[in-house]
Amino acid sequence: MRYRGRLSGVLLMGAAAVSLSGCGASQESAPVVIGSLEPAAYTEPPPVLALPASPTVAADIADPTPLPPNPYADLPLIDGTEWTDAVDGRRLLIYPTAAGRADTYPTAGDRAWQEVLDRSPDADTPGMRDQFHCHWEWARLVAPDKPSWNLEPWRPAVGYDETVNALCNPGGPER
């Protein structure tokens, strides 16, 4: 390679300037434009432009695909309820129908709970509701043929997540 000259740590190679000095705050200088020994002029970066909303995404959010009809919509989900006394206190036995065991429609659990309340209005407590929904969502999958779902009003109301963590029986196992 043929060098045309050296000027304070910068080699000049043709029209390009290459710095041979090290990096560091004490040695920093203004950037040099290739082909020139003059500092580069500062220019503002281009503005960041927001992308327009996708009409497809907006339409999907506004108009979700409708669910198919619920095949169990006109069938009862709860066959009956029965209050009993157990070693720990009162217990509500809930007997689901075949449709109640099979219905997975998103609103079916609330409809089934309303059927329970129509038969046993005194079951309307937060803890009992959480126990019921735990049985509706989980226990019927684990034990699909269990004759009844047993809810106890003496169990603490700990919220749905904790009720599920306690296998639908917060405050102790079922006896």
Side-chain angles (χ1 to χ4, degrees):
M1 245 183 234
R2 201 174 68 158
Y3 300 113
R4 292 191 180 175
R6 182 179 172 149
L7 181 63
S8 70
V10 176
L11 289 178
L12 300 176
M13 298 169 47
V18 179
S19 172
L20 293 178
S21 61
C23 296
S26 63
Q27 298 174 352
E28 288 182 13
S29 62
V32 176
V33 175
I34 301 291
S36 167
L37 293 178
E38 297 298 318
Y42 177 78
T43 58
E44 288 287 328
V48 177
L49 301 175
L51 296 174
S54 166
T56 304
V57 171
D60 288 346
I61 292 171
D63 299 323
T65 304
L67 292 171
N70 182 351
Y72 305 102
D74 296 327
L75 299 174
L77 303 176
I78 304 300
D79 189 36
T81 62
E82 176 186 359
W83 282 103
T84 64
D85 289 314
V87 71
D88 293 317
R90 292 184 74 198
R91 174 179 291 164
L92 179 62
L93 308 179
I94 298 172
Y95 300 95
T97 64
R101 293 179 188 283
D103 196 342
T104 59
Y105 206 74
T107 57
D110 290 331
R111 184 166 69 93
W113 177 242
Q114 189 55 55
E115 289 183 33
V116 169
L117 296 180
D118 290 345
R119 290 171 174 78
S120 300
D122 46 344
D124 194 11
T125 67
M128 294 278 281
R129 183 180 194 283
D130 289 337
Q131 290 174 59
F132 174 80
H133 280 286
C134 182
H135 281 82
W136 182 264
E137 295 295 330
W138 303 106
R140 70 181 179 156
L141 297 175
V142 175
D145 297 325
K146 185 177 179 192
S148 68
W149 300 333
N150 306 330
L151 314 182
E152 293 90 7
W154 55 265
R155 293 190 180 277
V158 294
Y160 178 74
D161 290 341
E162 287 303 313
T163 301
V164 171
N165 288 338
L167 304 176
C168 304
N169 295 311
E174 183 176 353
R175 296 192 265 182

